């Protein structure tokens, strides 16, 4: 049985009018505005979370600029959150603004978000899952079914032609009547309805009854078109009560307004809305008459700003082409497809690269909404907003680069804020490579891009404190106590120093000291040292006290020096490669760590490693990769001369050595750069002699290692080595040229005039050279 209830426009019930829409459609938004102007309702009901009834009035504030979204989250677990985004072209937003500007009652009537945040098991037990009630397959897209019935294979194009591209006519309610009849026919034909939709519609009917009881006589209901048939006739109260009785227990929920972006609206995953072209839809809604010429003019302006030669003649021709394509395709107005086809053909010369720029900037866009300060927010969010204003760091949806000079107070404060937010999981800024070449520690470069979901992460981080500094400090201490590896702690120490968390640093250092004292794995110690040394370097420019850091770093370095030779014994190929990378990092860290005698102790450890026996089995010996790398590090530091390095290479490449071990030794030796082979032809000759002397089978075995080794060398080094090998035997000096190490005066004198010109001095030619020239 049913009781009289609201119906679609044109039906007999006069007090409730159902306006079925497609969410985020410019045509639907214009139609809703025209319908409300005609109906002049005394109450507006909108599909949305009822928890927002108390803050919907903020939509009238001048600081509320769409796109925005309602953010609801569970109080006890802010990660359980949901968004309801609204753009300027959203029908719901048009209805909200109509009501609040006229001070009319406006209520949201969808199922409360608190039920959605309830326990999943309880929700399943209540039948609120998304499975269809009458079919095993997911419910079909109703618009796709209507387009198919109309003979169209593209549902989006059909919907745009019949709804979004059309302006309201003389009868403002006619579009809603037609859509309601179409949806009623689909549901009557058995279009699958999910259990969750049935529960939601029961709750909406309850809210409509409540509005009637409140005495409202002209009620406008803005909801998804799919729900209109279910709301047109009200079943008995008992029927709806039975559906709602199975809902799970409500979860305590907070809700607020947050800024949103067009780019996020374009994403169908996560918190998106699945609109393929929000920038285009916004233009269709805001442009009024002649939207295509206006949009093409904006496209031309964008392309000109990117140095593309586009003139007004291009715009005129593109408009003609778009309108012609629309006529050929039987469309009432040139749509996005025709417009982009015209842009590609006329303005971009057929280039998809230039067209992609138009898609990104205009079809999608980087619009970022704003919300007033009066919107509810956790204290942490308010402190962040204060810091953003103070430091002149305005959030923006478009990515931008930010270079900071840490010697300036404002830039140093910006750096601390960005590092603290990263510690809290808010990746507003990501470290980037600067376009300005600099090796100093006083410069930082960031890539900034604000994402709407940061509002959820800030709500999650509010459990750590009410200010950004307090929250980051508490999070750092908690992370340190939960850390299981030494490398995590040293990285956290570096982060604390970068973020200026002087209160958290002592607690983190205590945990680090305890963990380092118990950790005997040299690989862990070696992996932890570089982060501490980097922290010391940053401490110099940031003016922090790093006495404890230096003591901890020196202690770690000493333990690495003592344990390194034995830690390299019996390693497999993967472990050896990992430790070789750690070896390079520790070598660089020791060079930066100014500690008495540390460099000598590290050199002694490398000497001991280089002298170890080759790996003779899985549990004995040191891999050639590590021994060769140790020799190269000693050679680069000047603690080993070329003669000794050549002797060691000769021993490794002798017939007594295993070819695989020799190939690994060569890889480690050359991984720092192959220019050494060019400066000392004897090393290249030894390598060439060994390689040409191995058997075919051995050559096949070591070839992958050698390929990997030489592929890592500089391109110029590879080509020069190849040319020298192809020129002939490497053990003889080329005729007519001086021996290795001897100065070729003739070639040097030829370069003197050029060098003098570059230096701006008068060239000096030795007397011997002058005599030869005469």
């Amino acid at each position: 049985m049913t009781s009289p209830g609201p119906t679609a426009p044109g039906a007999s019930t006069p007090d409730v009018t159902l306006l079925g829409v497609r969410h985020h459609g410019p045509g639907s938004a214009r139609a809703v505005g025209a319908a409300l102007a005609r109906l002049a309702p005394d109450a507006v009901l909108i599909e949305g979370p009822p928890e927002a009834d108390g803050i919907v009035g903020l939509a009238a504030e001048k600081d509320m600029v769409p796109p925005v979204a309602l953010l609801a989250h569970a109080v006890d677990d802010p990660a359980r959150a949901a968004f309801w985004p609204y753009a300027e072209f959203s029908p719901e937003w048009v209805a909200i603004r109509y009501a609040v500007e006229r001070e009319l009652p406006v209520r949201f009537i969808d199922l409360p978000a608190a039920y959605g945040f309830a326990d999943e098991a309880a929700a399943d037990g209540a039948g609120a899952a998304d499975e269809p009630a009458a079919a095993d397959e997911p419910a079909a897209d109703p618009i796709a079914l209507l387009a198919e019935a109309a003979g169209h294979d593209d549902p989006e194009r059909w919907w745009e032609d019949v709804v979004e591209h059309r302006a309201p006519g003389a009868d403002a309610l006619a579009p809603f009547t037609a859509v309601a009849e179409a949806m009623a026919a689909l549901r009557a034909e058995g279009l699958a309805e999910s259990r969750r939709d049935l529960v939601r519609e029961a709750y909406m009917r309850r809210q409509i009854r409540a509005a009637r009881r409140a005495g409202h006589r002209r009620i406008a209901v803005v909801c998804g078109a799919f729900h209109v048939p279910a709301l047109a006739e009200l079943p008995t109260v008992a029927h709806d009560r039975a559906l709602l009785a199975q809902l799970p227990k409500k979860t305590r929920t907070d809700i607020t307004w947050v800024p949103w972006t067009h780019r996020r609206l374009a994403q169908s995953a996560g918190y998106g809305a699945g609109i393929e072209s929000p920038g285009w839809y916004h233009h269709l809604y805001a442009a009024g008459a002649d939207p295509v010429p206006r949009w093409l003019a904006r496209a031309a302006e964008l392309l000109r700003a990117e140095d593309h030669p586009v003139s007004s003649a291009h715009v005129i021709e593109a408009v003609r082409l778009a309108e012609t394509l629309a006529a050929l395709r039987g469309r009432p107005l040139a749509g996005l497809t025709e417009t982009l086809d015209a842009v590609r053909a006329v303005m971009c010369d057929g280039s998809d690269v230039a067209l992609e720029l138009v898609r990104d900037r205009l079809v999608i866009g980087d619009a970022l909404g704003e919300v007033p300060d009066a919107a509810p927010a956790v204290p942490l969010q308010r402190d962040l907003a204060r810091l953003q204003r103070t430091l002149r760091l305005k959030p923006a949806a478009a990515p931008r680069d930010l270079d900071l000079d840490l010697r300036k107070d404002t830039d140093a404060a910006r750096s601390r804020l960005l590092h603290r937010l990263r510690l809290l999981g808010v990746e507003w800024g990501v470290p980037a490579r600067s376009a300005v070449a600099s090796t100093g520690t006083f410069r930082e470069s960031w890539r900034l891009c604000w994402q709407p979901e940061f509002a959820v992460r800030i709500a999650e981080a509010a459990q750590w404190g009410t200010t950004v500094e307090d929250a980051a400090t508490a999070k750092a201490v908690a992370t340190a106590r939960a850390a299981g590896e030494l490398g995590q702690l040293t990285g956290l120490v570096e982060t604390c120093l970068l973020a200026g968390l002087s209160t958290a640093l002592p607690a983190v250092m205590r945990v680090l000291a305890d963990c380092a004292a118990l950790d005997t794995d040299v690989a862990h110690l070696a992996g932890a040292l570089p982060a501490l040394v980097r922290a010391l370097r940053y401490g110099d420019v940031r003016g922090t006290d790093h006495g404890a850091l230096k003591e901890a770093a020196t202690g770690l370095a000493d333990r690495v020096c003592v344990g390194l030779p034995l830690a390299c014994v019996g390693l497999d190929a993967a472990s050896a490669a990992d430790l070789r990378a750690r070896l390079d990092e520790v070598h660089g860290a020791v060079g930066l760590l100014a500690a008495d005698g540390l460099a000598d102790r590290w050199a002694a450890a490398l000497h001991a490693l280089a002298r170890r026996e080759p790996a003779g089995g899985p549990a004995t010996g040191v891999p050639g990769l590590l021994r060769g790398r140790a020799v190269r590090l000693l050679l680069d530091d000047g603690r080993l001369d070329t003669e000794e390095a050549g002797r060691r290479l000769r021993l490794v490449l002798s017939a007594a050595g295993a070819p695989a071990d020799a190939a690994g030794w060569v890889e480690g030796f050359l991984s720092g750069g192959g220019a050494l082979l060019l400066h000392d032809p004897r090393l290249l000759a030894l390598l060439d002699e060994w390689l040409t002397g191995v058997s075919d089978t051995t050559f096949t075995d070591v070839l992958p290692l050698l390929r990997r080794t030489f592929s890592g060398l500089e391109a110029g080094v590879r080509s020069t080595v190849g040319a020298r090998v192809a020129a002939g035997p490497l053990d003889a000096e080329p005729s007519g040229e001086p021996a290795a190490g001897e100065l070729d005066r003739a070639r040097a004198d030829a370069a003197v005039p050029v060098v003098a010109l570059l230096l701006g001095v008068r060239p000096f030619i030795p007397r011997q050279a002058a005599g030869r020239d005469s």
Side-chain angles (χ1 to χ4, degrees):
M1 295 179 62
T2 61
S3 60
T7 62
S12 58
T13 304
D15 58 345
V16 177
T17 304
L18 302 176
L19 305 178
V21 300
R22 190 184 191 192
H23 306 298
H24 313 297
S28 297
R30 287 192 297 267
V32 165
L36 292 176
R38 174 181 170 179
L39 292 171
D42 59 3
V44 178
L45 307 182
I46 301 172
E47 179 183 338
E51 290 94 339
D53 287 349
I55 60 173
V56 68
L58 293 174
E61 298 286 338
K62 64 178 182 179
D63 295 333
M64 180 75 84
V65 180
V68 293
L70 287 169
L71 162 62
H73 64 85
V75 174
D76 298 332
D77 184 7
R80 292 153 59 193
F83 290 88
W84 288 262
Y86 301 109
E88 186 176 358
F89 52 82
S90 300
E92 297 89 343
W93 182 255
V94 172
I96 290 172
R97 290 300 301 260
Y98 177 90
V100 297
E101 288 174 358
R102 293 163 178 77
E103 299 183 352
L104 299 176
V106 55
R107 299 288 183 268
F108 290 101
I109 62 171
D110 204 350
L111 196 66
Y115 289 121
F117 298 143
D119 181 72
E120 184 176 354
D124 290 342
D130 285 331
E131 290 81 5
D136 294 330
E137 296 295 327
D141 180 8
I143 293 179
L145 295 176
L146 291 175
E148 182 180 0
H152 291 260
D153 57 355
D154 189 336
E156 295 297 327
R157 178 180 297 184
W158 173 79
W159 181 262
E160 287 186 353
D161 287 346
V162 299
V163 176
E164 307 302 349
H165 287 172
R166 295 187 181 275
D171 184 359
L173 300 181
F176 300 103
T177 303
V179 171
E181 291 175 354
M183 291 299 170
L186 285 177
R187 295 186 71 151
E189 290 294 325
L191 180 63
E193 304 162 350
S194 70
R195 180 69 176 177
R196 180 171 178 79
D197 281 336
L198 295 177
V199 174
R200 290 174 60 202
E201 290 163 354
Y203 194 88
M204 293 182 196
R205 290 191 291 265
R206 171 190 283 185
Q207 297 299 90
I208 292 174
R209 294 188 185 100
R212 278 178 158 180
R213 289 195 300 271
H216 299 297
R217 300 307 305 161
R218 298 186 309 278
I219 304 172
V221 180
V222 180
C223 62
F226 179 77
H227 304 298
V228 169
L231 304 183
E233 294 186 4
L234 299 183
T236 62
V237 175
H239 175 272
D240 288 345
R241 187 181 294 122
L243 284 173
L244 298 174
Q246 302 177 33
L247 286 172
K249 183 180 179 181
K250 280 187 177 182
T251 300
R252 203 156 56 96
T253 304
D254 279 345
I255 195 166
T256 186
W257 289 102
V258 295
W260 206 249
T261 67
H262 277 177
R263 195 167 299 278
R264 187 60 63 186
L265 280 172
Q267 298 182 2
S268 57
Y271 299 122
I275 307 171
E276 295 181 356
S277 51
W280 167 256
Y281 272 10
H282 178 270
H283 176 79
L284 286 181
Y285 180 76
D290 297 326
V292 173
R294 295 174 185 270
W295 194 86
L296 289 171
R298 292 177 57 201
E301 181 181 4
L302 171 64
L303 291 172
R304 281 196 296 268
E306 298 295 331
D307 295 329
H308 290 274
V310 179
S311 67
S312 56
H314 287 84
V315 177
I316 295 172
E317 188 59 33
V319 171
R320 290 174 177 170
L321 179 57
E323 292 175 348
T324 301
L325 289 174
L328 289 174
R329 296 169 182 174
R331 307 195 67 180
L333 177 71
L336 182 59
T337 303
E338 289 73 28
T339 308
L340 289 180
D341 287 345
V343 170
R344 180 194 288 109
V346 178
M347 298 184 184
C348 300
D349 296 326
S351 171
D352 286 333
V353 176
L355 182 66
E356 190 60 33
L357 178 67
V358 177
R359 289 183 185 275
D360 184 70
R361 302 280 187 84
L362 295 183
V363 177
I364 297 176
D366 291 315
L368 174 64
E370 298 179 10
V371 299
D373 293 337
V378 295
L380 179 62
Q381 175 66 59
R382 297 197 181 280
D383 184 61
L384 174 58
R386 178 187 63 81
L387 292 171
Q388 289 170 335
R389 290 192 298 268
T390 301
L391 300 176
R392 299 187 297 279
L393 278 178
K394 185 177 180 180
R400 67 184 182 97
D401 294 325
L402 177 67
D403 290 326
L404 301 178
D405 186 343
L406 301 181
R407 297 169 296 185
K408 300 177 181 178
D409 292 341
T410 300
D411 282 358
R414 289 172 173 174
S415 173
R416 289 193 296 269
L417 173 62
L418 294 173
H419 281 293
R420 289 170 182 175
L421 290 176
R422 293 194 76 206
L423 184 60
L424 293 173
V426 181
E427 299 277 346
W428 178 22
V430 178
R433 183 181 296 274
S434 173
V436 180
S438 174
T439 57
T441 57
F442 64 86
R443 184 179 297 278
E444 275 187 355
S445 296
W446 295 84
R447 184 77 165 174
L448 303 183
C449 183
W450 186 264
Q451 301 292 343
E453 59 265 27
F454 290 161
V456 177
R457 298 179 189 174
I458 293 171
E460 290 181 79
Q463 62 179 307
W464 301 109
T466 57
T467 67
V468 175
E469 181 177 1
D470 291 345
T473 298
K475 178 68 178 298
V477 173
T479 303
R481 291 171 179 168
E485 295 183 2
L486 190 59
Q488 294 177 341
L489 287 170
T490 54
L492 184 60
V493 168
E494 181 182 12
T495 301
C496 288
L497 191 61
L498 294 172
L501 301 178
S502 56
T503 306
L505 195 56
V508 177
M509 287 300 301
R510 285 194 297 270
V511 178
L512 172 63
D514 294 341
C515 185
L518 298 175
D519 199 331
T520 59
D521 191 324
V522 174
H524 290 172
L525 300 176
L529 180 62
L532 281 183
V533 175
R534 287 195 303 268
L536 283 171
R537 294 185 70 210
Y538 293 132
D540 292 337
V541 71
R542 295 171 187 269
T544 56
D545 181 14
H546 51 261
L549 283 178
K550 186 171 183 179
E551 181 180 352
T554 304
L556 284 180
D558 286 336
R559 293 178 62 188
V560 171
C561 292
V562 172
L564 179 64
L566 289 177
C568 296
V569 174
L571 298 179
D572 57 17
S575 300
D578 181 65
L579 194 55
R580 195 221 31 110
R582 301 286 175 86
L583 205 64
D584 289 346
E585 293 176 354
V586 172
H587 185 75
V590 169
L592 296 173
L593 189 59
D596 294 338
L598 178 60
D600 294 333
R601 294 192 294 274
W602 174 245
L606 292 178
H607 274 294
L609 179 61
R611 289 192 300 266
R612 302 289 293 193
E613 293 296 326
T620 61
V622 175
L625 177 68
L626 299 178
R627 299 185 347 263
R629 191 66 193 139
V631 171
R632 178 59 184 272
L633 294 176
L634 290 169
L635 179 63
D636 290 345
D637 273 2
R639 294 180 180 271
L640 201 68
D641 57 25
T642 308
E643 293 289 341
E644 178 62 18
R647 187 187 70 82
R648 292 176 185 267
L649 177 60
R650 190 177 296 108
L651 290 175
V652 170
L653 300 181
S654 64
D661 181 75
W665 198 99
V666 171
E667 180 182 2
F669 185 72
L670 295 181
S671 59
L676 188 65
L677 296 176
L678 305 181
H679 297 317
D680 193 340
R682 291 169 297 179
L683 297 179
L684 181 58
L686 287 173
L687 184 59
D688 180 63
E689 181 183 358
W690 168 76
L691 189 58
T692 56
V694 298
S695 65
D696 293 344
T697 303
T698 302
F699 179 79
T700 303
D701 293 338
V702 301
L703 183 59
L705 291 176
L706 294 174
R707 278 181 172 171
R708 183 174 62 193
T709 300
F710 281 93
S711 66
L713 302 182
E714 303 88 337
V717 171
R718 292 199 304 270
S719 61
T720 306
V721 167
R724 288 193 179 181
V725 171
L730 296 174
D731 54 352
E733 298 293 343
S735 60
E737 295 191 7
E742 182 180 340
L743 176 63
D744 187 341
R745 292 186 176 277
R747 297 177 64 186
D749 292 343
V752 169
V754 177
V755 176
L757 181 62
L758 293 175
L759 297 177
V761 299
R762 185 175 181 180
F764 169 76
I765 302 178
R767 181 169 301 181
Q768 298 88 336
R772 288 195 300 269
D773 293 340
S774 61

